[in-house]
């Protein structure tokens, strides 16, 4: 067993964004966390800004507690879960455990499983009951809006291959989630597949679904720019619900039956209703969206009228290796998805850019 091993020049202090309460995120100087037993320290190369980070910043009750919900966030904390970095310190045992060496580039899955709950023990680690995710729980899973990030001993770390395009490495996490949603759709060659919502996740889903070679791949969004991008990334048909009756269009294209698979990634209630309308009987409906408020739909469509197979999708179980492989070999492209890199100090500008969503798709903070 090796003892702790570290690169020269790891400082004692680092700059980091520390979140205290909604709207109160500060740039501070904090201690660099040392890598203990089976822990790893990364020097952060970049960290993507996720819609979830914005939810945290704006004080979502499902994160901070309230409206009868317990707090999931543990403040103060350092945000950021879509990160990549270079190994600068290997705690005792971590070299053997992860096959990592100093200087390697690596990523860590967003969830840090507890390893002890029923789900972790049964292998369903992404549903860990404790559910610590980088960038939401201070101390136990501080994130990477910082110069360094510590990977706790139960983390799921992956080494990046030599020559991996680091420019898109912060996209590995969203792509892992996108691949999982597509796998949940169980796409067959003869399927007409609709993907609704072309944010960073939806654009990854389009590309992952493309690799499944369905009969027809349709992308839906209200933004023309994103529809055009989805088209270049593999969607045969793009539809804008602001401009046409997309339910009618999909029904017309399928002899009146409807699509076989519908993946909802728009986060908008209209996308749910539209999906239930355009999907065929016995179709597979994958729900990926995170909604601000409860959504009302006609549940009798799911049972009585269509006997749908409704499947949830959460995080990225077992999909990091595929995400890394596809970005590395270029079968999935993210150079037009990772649109902006901003210095860490400008995190508020980054939040703003993501919120507007006009010019940006994925914004990456670089410490
Ligand atoms: Zn994310
Ligand atoms: Zn667990």
């Amino acid at each position: 067993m090796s003892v702790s091993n570290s690169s020269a020049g790891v400082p004692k202090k680092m700059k980091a964004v520390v979140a205290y309460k909604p709207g109160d995120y500060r740039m501070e100087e904090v201690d660099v966390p040392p890598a203990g037993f089976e822990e790893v320290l990364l020097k952060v190369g970049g960290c993507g800004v996720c819609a979830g980070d914005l939810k945290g910043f704006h004080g979502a009750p499902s994160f901070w507690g309230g409206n009868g919900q317990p707090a999931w966030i543990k403040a103060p904390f350092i945000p950021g879960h879509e990160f990549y970095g270079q190994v600068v310190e290997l705690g005792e045992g971590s070299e053997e455990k992860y096959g990592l060496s100093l200087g390697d580039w690596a990523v860590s899955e967003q969830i840090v499983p507890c390893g002890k709950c029923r789900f972790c023990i049964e292998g369903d680690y992404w549903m860990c009951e404790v559910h610590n995710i980088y960038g939401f729980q201070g101390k136990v899973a501080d994130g990477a809006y910082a110069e360094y990030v510590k990977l706790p001993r139960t983390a799921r770390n992956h080494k990046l291959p030599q020559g991996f395009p680091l420019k898109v490495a912060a996209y590995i996490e969203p792509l892992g989630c996108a691949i999982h949603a597509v796998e949940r759709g169980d796409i067959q060659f003869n399927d007409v597949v609709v993907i609704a919502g072309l944010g960073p996740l939806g654009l990854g889903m389009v590309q992952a679904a493309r690799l499944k070679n369905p009969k027809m791949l349709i992308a839906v969004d209200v933004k023309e720019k994103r529809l055009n991008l989805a088209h270049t990334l593999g969607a045969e048909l793009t539809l804008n619900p602001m401009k046409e009756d997309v339910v009618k269009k999909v029904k017309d294209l399928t002899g009146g039956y409807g699509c076989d698979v519908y993946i909802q990634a728009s986060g908008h209630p209209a996308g749910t209703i539209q999906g239930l309308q355009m999907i065929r009987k016995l179709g597979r409906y994958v729900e990926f969206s995170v909604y601000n408020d409860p959504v009302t739909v006609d549940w009798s469509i799911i049972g009585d009228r269509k006997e749908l197979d409704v499947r949830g999708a959460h995080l990225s179980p077992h999909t990091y290796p595929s995400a890394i492989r596809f970005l590395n070999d270029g079968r999935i492209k993210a150079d037009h998805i990772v649109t902006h890199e901003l210095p860490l100090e400008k995190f508020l500008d980054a939040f703003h850019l993501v919120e507007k969503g006009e010019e940006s798709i994925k914004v990456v903070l670089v410490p």
Side-chain angles (χ1 to χ4, degrees):
M1 188 179 292
S2 71
V3 292
S4 172
N5 188 2
S6 80
S7 303
V10 177
K12 293 266 177 286
K13 295 276 184 185
M14 64 176 184
K15 55 181 181 176
V17 174
V18 184
Y20 288 90
K21 36 180 209 280
D24 184 6
Y25 286 31
R26 306 174 208 165
M27 197 70 208
E28 290 188 347
E29 198 174 69
V30 301
D31 291 339
V32 173
F37 180 67
E38 292 188 344
E39 294 179 339
V40 177
L41 185 71
L42 296 186
K43 185 173 192 328
V44 177
C47 183
V49 176
C50 178
D53 297 325
L54 291 173
K55 274 184 79 181
F57 186 70
H58 292 304
S62 55
F63 285 13
W64 294 88
N67 294 353
Q69 301 170 89
W72 170 61
I73 269 173
K74 290 189 188 86
F77 64 93
I78 300 171
H81 59 269
E82 301 178 358
F83 60 84
Y84 65 99
Q86 201 163 22
V87 177
V88 290
E89 195 172 312
L90 287 158
E92 185 185 332
S94 61
E95 210 155 349
E96 293 85 343
K97 186 171 179 182
Y98 297 110
L100 291 169
S101 307
L102 291 178
D104 283 345
W105 287 93
V107 291
S108 190
E109 296 186 29
Q110 70 292 81
I111 190 157
V112 181
C114 75
K116 293 176 186 155
C117 74
R118 170 185 176 173
F119 300 110
C120 284
I121 287 168
E122 291 175 358
D124 302 323
Y125 70 93
W126 72 104
M127 279 295 151
C128 173
E129 192 65 15
V130 181
H131 226 72
N132 285 327
I133 289 186
Y134 285 112
F136 295 101
Q137 286 81 25
K139 302 288 176 227
V140 287
D142 269 319
Y145 283 16
E147 288 177 281
Y148 295 86
V149 62
K150 184 182 83 171
L151 316 182
R153 64 175 297 214
T154 53
R156 296 178 65 94
N157 308 330
H158 303 269
K159 178 175 160 172
L160 299 183
Q162 283 285 336
F164 184 92
L166 295 174
K167 193 90 187 155
V168 297
Y171 188 61
I172 293 169
E173 190 273 341
L175 180 58
C177 297
I179 292 173
H180 178 52
V182 166
E183 288 185 336
R184 291 287 284 158
D186 196 14
I187 295 170
Q188 308 293 308
F189 294 132
N190 204 35
D191 284 343
V192 172
V193 178
V194 175
I195 294 170
L198 302 173
L201 273 302
L203 289 166
M205 290 173 196
V206 165
Q207 296 184 79
R210 175 76 272 145
L211 295 174
K212 297 278 187 185
N213 285 318
K215 185 162 77 186
M216 191 187 294
L217 180 57
I218 303 171
V220 180
D221 200 285
V222 294
K223 291 193 169 108
E224 283 300 317
K225 214 165 118 183
R226 293 187 179 201
L227 289 168
N228 292 337
L229 186 51
H231 183 66
T232 62
L233 294 175
E236 278 122 347
L237 183 67
T238 59
L239 300 174
N240 185 342
M242 305 293 270
K243 292 192 174 161
E244 61 186 312
D245 183 344
V246 294
V247 173
K248 181 175 184 301
K249 182 87 190 184
V250 170
K251 291 228 163 174
D252 287 350
L253 283 164
T254 52
Y257 290 107
C259 60
D260 303 279
V261 177
Y262 183 88
I263 305 180
Q264 155 64 335
S266 77
H268 196 285
T272 314
I273 294 159
Q274 160 193 286
L276 292 174
Q277 287 170 343
M278 72 165 67
I279 197 166
R280 70 158 164 89
K281 292 174 182 176
L282 302 171
R284 295 178 299 286
Y285 177 107
V286 179
E287 184 54 74
F288 183 85
S289 285
V290 180
Y291 302 95
N292 286 325
D293 299 300
V295 177
T296 305
V297 298
D298 181 359
W299 273 74
S300 51
I301 297 176
I302 296 166
D304 182 55
R305 299 224 291 278
K306 295 190 176 176
E307 194 173 318
L308 296 178
D309 204 345
V310 177
R311 301 173 179 187
H314 177 58
L315 301 185
S316 48
H318 311 293
T319 58
Y320 266 62
S322 303
I324 291 168
R325 182 162 57 93
F326 291 146
L327 286 171
N328 194 46
D329 66 18
R331 270 187 287 181
I332 288 184
K333 294 182 177 53
D335 18 330
H336 294 288
I337 296 174
V338 178
T339 50
H340 290 70
E341 276 190 354
L342 264 68
L344 184 59
E345 290 80 358
K346 297 222 169 11
F347 67 96
L348 288 176
D349 294 344
F351 285 1
H352 199 66
L353 258 176
V354 173
E355 224 144 36
K356 276 203 312 192
E358 287 302 333
E359 30 178 330
S360 76
I361 298 176
K362 178 56 73 186
V363 179
V364 175
L365 290 170
V366 180

